[in-house]
Amino acid sequence: MDAVITEDLTRRFGRFTAVDRVSFRIPEGSVFGFLGPNGSGKTTTIRMLTGILEPSEGSARVLGMDLVSEREKVRESLGYMSQKFSLYDDLTVQENLDFYAGLFSLPPARSRERIAEIVEMAGLLGRTNDLAGNLSGGLRQRLALGCAILHRPRLLFLDEPTSGVDPRSRRRFWDIIYGLAAEGTTVMVTTHFMDEAEHCDTIGFMFESRLIACGTPEELKALLPGTAWEIPSEDPIGLLERLKGTQGVMESSVHGRSVHLLAETESAVVFESLGGRRIVPTLEDVFVHLVMNEREARAE
Ligand SMILES: Nc1ncnc2c1ncn2[C@@H]1O[C@H](COP(=O)(O)OP(=O)(O)O)[C@@H](O)[C@H]1O
Ligand SMILES: [Mg+2]
């Protein structure tokens, strides 16, 4: 079964269309990575799927229920960690958890049991009397996640949960997400970090209010034409310029201290002589390619 099905989901704010006819499906128990630049419509989509915002057009079914007519029932089965973690900084870890347990109307015994599990999962043992405001970024993030899943939602929305968090905490956080998915929770997560998205089961790319591609990481990479190359350089921008007219180069872009190329497979020798190596394209390469295509298509 699919946990989320949207069809032409659309949201306008006045004359501006923030989400434009977006259709996708998320199989139950899978992790869906929702990627795209700032302002592309990710949060607005999630706000519709959580029932906070009404769609202007189109439809969405969540866990087999209709978002509009069965709104209250849907909400009980959802967890939502918003872009601004909704923690109370002047309350302790325990008080935050108690507050959310109350909000979800968990019976006292169940609440105690569940909070103990969450404290363990989040690595908050021995910290339950600390003020939430005094925790490190990584711990705050895991506490916010814990609060969002106290009621064991079947479907979890995480909106940029890892921004502003150090790499080690990010990895730990993803381990928790995979653990939840392995237990059957469906997770929809937005992120700016393309490396995080590599491990998602399915990825949707948003660009200027539209979903421009959707598929497994492998499927998305297969959309790229030619062969992908990486050429390290002290002066990647200069190299990019020089490569522009080179025979066989289809697309090129700067990635840190190197240039990434999509090239016709026959022209390998040239790139080898420049110290380049063939690479498995990253999702970032895919995104650059798709955005270029999309820009051309819209300009026509
Ligand atoms: N309540 C609102 N009123 C007017 N415009 C909005 C509102 N919410 C979002 N937008 C606009 O919709 C666009 C998409 O925003 P958002 O969904 O937050 O993007 P993302 O999460 O991908 O950064 C942005 O241009 C934003 O300014
Ligand atoms: Mg957002």
Side-chain angles (χ1 to χ4, degrees), residues 38 42-43 83 159-160:
N38 264 332
K42 303 181 299 295
T43 297
Q83 221 165 333
D159 199 358
E160 289 191 29

Side-chain angles (χ1 to χ4, degrees), residues 229 267-278:
W229 289 84
S267 24
V269 180
V270 185
F271 311 118
E272 273 163 5
S273 71
L274 288 167
R277 59 182 188 94
R278 286 169 199 253

Side-chain angles (χ1 to χ4, degrees), residues 168-213:
R168 241 184 89 207
S169 297
R170 276 171 53 197
R171 272 199 299 280
R172 175 150 187 190
F173 191 82
W174 277 91
D175 286 340
I176 297 174
I177 294 179
Y178 300 135
L180 290 169
E183 290 169 10
T185 310
T186 308
V187 182
M188 176 167 179
V189 53
T190 71
T191 176
H192 281 307
F193 299 107
M194 298 279 177
D195 58 326
E196 293 185 343
E198 297 275 352
H199 305 291
C200 295
D201 298 302
T202 318
I203 288 165
F205 273 134
M206 288 292 285
F207 179 67
E208 294 181 354
S209 315
R210 295 204 196 140
L211 187 71
I212 60 169

Side-chain angles (χ1 to χ4, degrees), residues 11-14 16-19 34-47 53 83 159-160 190 192 206 209:
R11 174 69 202 204
R12 284 183 284 272
F13 295 109
F16 175 71
T17 305
V19 174
F34 203 38
L35 273 62
N38 264 332
S40 55
K42 303 181 299 295
T43 297
T44 305
T45 303
I46 288 187
R47 286 163 61 91
L53 206 61
Q83 221 165 333
D159 199 358
E160 289 191 29
T190 71
H192 281 307
M206 288 292 285
S209 315

Side-chain angles (χ1 to χ4, degrees), residues 28-31 114 117-118 121 149 152-156 175-187:
E28 210 165 21
S30 70
V31 179
R114 192 64 189 135
E117 281 172 19
I118 298 275
M121 172 206 83
I149 61 171
R152 287 191 178 279
R154 287 166 58 200
L155 173 59
L156 179 61
D175 286 340
I176 297 174
I177 294 179
Y178 300 135
L180 290 169
E183 290 169 10
T185 310
T186 308
V187 182

Side-chain angles (χ1 to χ4, degrees), residues 5-228:
I5 304 176
T6 77
E7 265 163 32
D8 289 333
L9 193 63
T10 299
R11 174 69 202 204
R12 284 183 284 272
F13 295 109
R15 292 169 64 184
F16 175 71
T17 305
V19 174
D20 191 6
R21 290 164 289 162
V22 165
S23 305
F24 62 88
R25 284 162 184 262
I26 309 180
E28 210 165 21
S30 70
V31 179
F32 182 83
F34 203 38
L35 273 62
N38 264 332
S40 55
K42 303 181 299 295
T43 297
T44 305
T45 303
I46 288 187
R47 286 163 61 91
M48 287 192 277
L49 294 176
T50 50
I52 295 170
L53 206 61
E54 274 199 30
S56 308
E57 261 175 60
S59 66
R61 285 183 78 75
V62 165
L63 299 169
M65 297 177 265
D66 184 76
L67 261 188
V68 179
S69 63
E70 292 168 285
R71 188 166 159 152
E72 283 313 309
K73 228 170 102 196
V74 172
R75 278 196 178 178
E76 287 168 19
S77 320
L78 299 186
Y80 176 37
M81 181 171 158
S82 73
Q83 221 165 333
K84 303 182 197 98
F85 308 161
S86 328
L87 293 175
Y88 294 91
D89 283 345
D90 51 351
L91 295 185
T92 64
V93 168
Q94 182 72 44
E95 287 164 343
N96 269 283
L97 288 163
D98 287 340
F99 172 79
Y100 279 97
L103 209 62
F104 296 130
S105 315
L106 295 191
R110 169 105 193 279
S111 160
R112 274 194 302 276
E113 190 185 313
R114 192 64 189 135
I115 288 176
E117 281 172 19
I118 298 275
V119 164
E120 163 100 48
M121 172 206 83
L124 284 161
L125 280 170
R127 307 295 299 272
T128 48
N129 292 322
D130 291 12
L131 291 180
N134 291 342
L135 299 176
S136 68
L139 278 178
R140 276 174 60 76
Q141 167 212 44
R142 297 201 292 274
L143 174 59
L145 173 66
C147 291
I149 61 171
L150 271 169
H151 59 311
R152 287 191 178 279
R154 287 166 58 200
L155 173 59
L156 179 61
F157 295 98
L158 305 170
D159 199 358
E160 289 191 29
T162 54
S163 49
V165 171
D166 67 87
R168 241 184 89 207
S169 297
R170 276 171 53 197
R171 272 199 299 280
R172 175 150 187 190
F173 191 82
W174 277 91
D175 286 340
I176 297 174
I177 294 179
Y178 300 135
L180 290 169
E183 290 169 10
T185 310
T186 308
V187 182
M188 176 167 179
V189 53
T190 71
T191 176
H192 281 307
F193 299 107
M194 298 279 177
D195 58 326
E196 293 185 343
E198 297 275 352
H199 305 291
C200 295
D201 298 302
T202 318
I203 288 165
F205 273 134
M206 288 292 285
F207 179 67
E208 294 181 354
S209 315
R210 295 204 196 140
L211 187 71
I212 60 169
C214 196
T216 65
E218 293 70 33
E219 285 167 351
L220 293 173
K221 288 174 188 182
L223 295 175
L224 290 179
T227 308

